[in-house]
Structure formats: C-alpha cells, structure tokens
C-alpha cells in the first residue's frame, strides 16, 4: 500500500510540473516578456552597452541552387540564404522569470539588425532585408537572422578554354549604414553551406570558399563552377566538323557536272551563318579571348581557301592553248593521272594488233599554202598536242593515200614506255590537283581541330 501511495504522489508531482511547464509557454508570458524587452529598447543604437566597441556579426551563406548563369551578360542568379548572427546585450532575460521562455521571434523593425547589401549586384544596390522578416532571439541575447532570396550578382567570366572552362563567381556582402569601426563581419564557416543545394543542368559545383576584405568590413563568398561540355560538343563542335568535312568533299565531285562552285559556296555560307550563331553565345570582350573563337576563324579561313582552290582547279580544267609546262606534267604523271594517254611520236598507232600487221598512220596531213613547194614538213595534231616528229607529205600527190609504215614491235614498245610521249592536257592537271587539294585540306582540318581541341581541353594558352 505504501508503494502504491508513493507512486501516485510521484505521478501527481510530474503532472503538476508538466502543467507549470505548459503554463510557462502561454502567450501572455511571451507578450509580457516582449513588452519588458522593448520598454527601454532603441533600435537606432548598436546592441552593445559600450558603444565604442564594434558589433561582431557572424555571417554564412547556404546556397540552394544556381538559377541562371549568363556568360554573355556576365551575371549569375542564385537562390541562397544569408545567415547572420550577433549578440544583443539589451535582449537578455531569465527564462525562470518569464515562464521558461528561452527564445522569442521579434519583428525586424523592432530591434537593431545589420542592414546588409550585395555590393556586386547587377541591378540596384539596396538592402536585402525586408519589413516582414523576423529575428529569432535567445535568452542569452543571441540573435539569428536568416535572409532568403534570389540574388543576381555580376561575375567576371573567363571563356579562354570554352567549353571546358571553369568560372569563379563571388558574392560580396557588407553593411549598409556603418563604417569599419562600428561593425565587423566574421565568417561562421570556412566554406559555403550546401545543406539544401540542388544541382544545375549546365554547371557542376567544384568548390566554395569564404574570405573577408576591407578590414573585416566585407565578407566574400566564392563558388567555382565547371561547365558541362556535352551540350556544346553535340550541338556546336560536331556539326562544325561535319560541315568542314562536307566542304572538302567538293574535290570529289566531277568537274563536268558544273556544280562545284555552287556546292562550295553553299557550304561556305552555311559555315559562316553557323559561326555567327555560335559567336552570339560568347561574351563580347577581347580580354581574355576564347580559343574557341580562334578555332572558328581558322575553320572559316580553311573554307575560304577551299573555295579558292576549287576556282583555281576549274580555271586549269577549262584552259586551252599551249601544252602544260613540264612541272605540271610532272605533277600529273607522279599522281598517276588516269586521263593521261601514251602516243607514239608523230602519229597514233594501234597497239592491239599482231606483230606481222603493219602500223598505219591514222591521220592524214592536210596542207593549204604556197604551190611552190612539193614536200613540206607538217606536224601531226593529237587532242590538240603538237608532236615533235614531223610528217612529210607531197603536195603534188594530194590524192594519194597516206603511207603505210612498218616498225618492229620492240621499237614500238620503246616509244610507248617513254615519258616524252605521254599526252597530258590541262584537264589532266586539274584532276591531279584535285587529289592534292583533297589530301592537303583533310590534313589541315585534322591538324587544326586536334591542335585547338587539345589546347582547350588541357588549358594551354597561346
């Protein structure tokens, strides 16, 4: 029985204590506490009894997300919570005398608060606190002020290694209404807080940092972000390379079709328009200059050079008149031009016959001129090429058939294997140059692309 009575008494005491605890959290106690605190409080004075001492405000930043990063306008928008903490020596009370209340939320206009501003804001520089905000105050005078907002600040963009670039942006906060002797800012953490951070589709967050400037009067929060290059590779770099390769394919189009110039100019204009669209997405500054911009210029120069090479090739193809120079014939011969044909000196021989058949001349010389000469040398023309060996005809025997000559098979073979009798025209030289241009520009494009892409990827400057 005694044990039961002791248990009931203990339970009753706990219930009474709980009732007292619940009674301490009543609104009347909170109103009375707030009235007592605000009775002699003046928010025009800093919250220190000794006004010669500075107020130390501990600051932090909790980054939530990166809303937008505009490299062209060099600005970044981010959602974050600015954390402010300080001690107010006028807001101290004893919880036992105030119903056990240990914390109280007070309107921001009723007590002293550090009016902070974002100094590198893109828009108007103004205080970031709002009238509807509230400050949480503990019984020890410790004040917590959390300011959540979407901030837009300027950011110096370095696109030297675009699209494998890293950007460092800073958010600079400082008091708006006090000098350096009245208030000090001290970072509460060594890095930016990422308790509620959500990733961005275009940028990866690499690192963060916090530092103070101007004698602890300004706190600077820094974030380093790295671009995700997949979008640029798929939508910019690869199409540009494909169009450049397509431009080189012009040397594989037969000249006889007559569409080479139109094809080449169409691809050139397509590349020029594409480069204009790409350039609009880069910052309009010259220091530093993006290496990718130099690559775009090099691609345009290669495309213009291809157009000039096609014009030169067409000019040679339709050229008529004298036999190509020895150098041009050597180029065509070295490349094994399939259009070149071998011709015996002075005439054309049919080579698909037996050894016993006579070799007959296939062309008869024609001569119209003076009647005073009976025999006169006349050059034989084969595809517009004047052969070296003269053919003598008898003017007086105009009705005679051309001579039929016989030559040994061995002599014929010697003439056929001699390079002096290879018939090469300007059209053959043009075809040979197309092969040279094709290989040359393929090598130039590969070298140019690898050179710039490796420099950008490994962050090597010119």
């Amino acid at each position: 029985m005694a044990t039961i009575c002791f248990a009931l008494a203990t339970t009753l005491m706990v219930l009474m204590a709980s009732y007292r605890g619940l009674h301490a959290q009543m609104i009347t106690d909170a109103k009375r506490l707030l009235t007592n605190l605000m009775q002699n409080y003046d928010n025009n004075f800093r919250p220190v009894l000794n006004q010669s001492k500075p107020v130390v405000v501990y600051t932090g930043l909790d980054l939530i997300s990166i809303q937008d990063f505009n490299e062209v306008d060099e600005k970044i928008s981010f959602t974050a919570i600015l954390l402010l903490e300080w001690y107010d020596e006028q807001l101290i009370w004893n919880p036992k005398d105030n119903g056990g209340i240990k914390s109280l939320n007070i309107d921001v206009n009723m007590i002293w608060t550090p009016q902070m501003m974002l100094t590198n804001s893109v828009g108007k520089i103004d205080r970031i606190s709002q009238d509807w905000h509230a400050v949480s105050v503990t019984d020890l005078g410790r004040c917590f002020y959390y300011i959540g907002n979407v901030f837009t600040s300027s950011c110096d963009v370095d696109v030297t290694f675009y699209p494998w670039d890293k950007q460092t942006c800073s958010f600079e906060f400082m008091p708006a209404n006090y000098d350096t002797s009245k208030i000090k800012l001290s970072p509460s953490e060594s890095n930016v807080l990422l308790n509620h951070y959500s990733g961005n589709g275009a940028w990866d967050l690499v690192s963060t940092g916090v530092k103070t400037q101007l004698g602890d009067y300004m706190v600077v929060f820094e974030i380093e972000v790295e671009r995700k290059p997949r979008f640029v590779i798929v939508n910019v770099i690869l199409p540009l390379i494909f169009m450049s390769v397509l431009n080189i394919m012009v040397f594989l189009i037969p000249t006889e079709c007559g569409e080479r110039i139109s094809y080449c100019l169409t691809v050139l204009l397509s590349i020029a328009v594409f480069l204009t669209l790409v350039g609009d997405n880069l910052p309009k500054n010259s220091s530093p200059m993006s290496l990718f911009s130099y690559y775009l210029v090099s691609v345009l120069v290669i495309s213009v050079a291809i157009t000039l090479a096609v014009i030169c090739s067409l000019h040679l193809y339709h050229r008529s008149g004298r036999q190509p120079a020895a150098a041009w014939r050597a180029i065509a011969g070295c490349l094994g031009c399939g259009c070149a044909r071998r011709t015996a000196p002075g005439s054309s021989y049919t080579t698909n016959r037996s050894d016993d058949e006579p070799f007959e001349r296939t062309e008869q010389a024609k001569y119209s001129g003076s009647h005073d000469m009976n025999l006169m040398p006349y050059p034989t023309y084969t595809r517009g090429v004047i052969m070296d060996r003269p053919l003598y005809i008898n003017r007086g025997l105009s009705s005679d058939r051309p001579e039929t000559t016989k030559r040994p098979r061995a002599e014929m073979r010697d003439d056929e294997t001699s390079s002096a009798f290879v018939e090469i025209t300007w059209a053959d030289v043009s075809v040979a140059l197309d092969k040279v241009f094709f290989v040359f520009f393929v090598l130039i494009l590969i070298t140019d692309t690898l050179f710039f892409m490796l420099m950008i990827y490994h962050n090597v400057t010119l």
Side-chain angles (χ1 to χ4, degrees), residues 46-48 51-59 84-87 112-117 173-186 212-219:
R46 293 179 296 114
V48 287
Q51 290 293 299
S52 62
K53 294 173 54 179
V55 178
V56 179
V57 179
Y58 300 93
T59 59
L84 303 177
E85 178 184 347
W86 70 93
Y87 283 92
W112 181 92
T113 56
Q115 300 297 329
M116 304 294 293
M117 61 182 181
F173 293 94
M174 63 181 298
N177 49 2
Y178 290 99
D179 55 27
T180 56
S181 62
K182 302 300 182 181
I183 189 172
K184 299 289 185 181
L185 300 181
S186 177
T212 57
Q213 295 180 352
L214 303 178
D216 296 339
Y217 188 67
M218 176 188 293
V219 60

Side-chain angles (χ1 to χ4, degrees), residues 247-268:
N247 199 13
I248 298 177
M249 293 295 110
V250 69
F251 296 108
L252 302 182
I253 300 177
T255 308
E256 293 81 1
C257 70
E259 299 292 335
R260 300 184 73 179
I261 289 294
S262 59
Y263 172 87
C264 191
L265 291 178
T266 301
V267 178
L268 174 61

Side-chain angles (χ1 to χ4, degrees), residues 189-202:
E189 300 288 343
S190 59
N191 295 304
V192 176
L193 300 178
L194 303 174
N195 298 329
H196 307 90
Y197 179 75
S198 59
N200 185 270

Side-chain angles (χ1 to χ4, degrees), residues 36-52:
N36 295 334
L37 292 176
M38 296 293 103
Q39 186 174 3
N40 296 318
Y41 193 92
D42 191 345
N43 58 3
N44 293 318
F45 298 94
R46 293 179 296 114
V48 287
L49 299 179
N50 185 0
Q51 290 293 299
S52 62

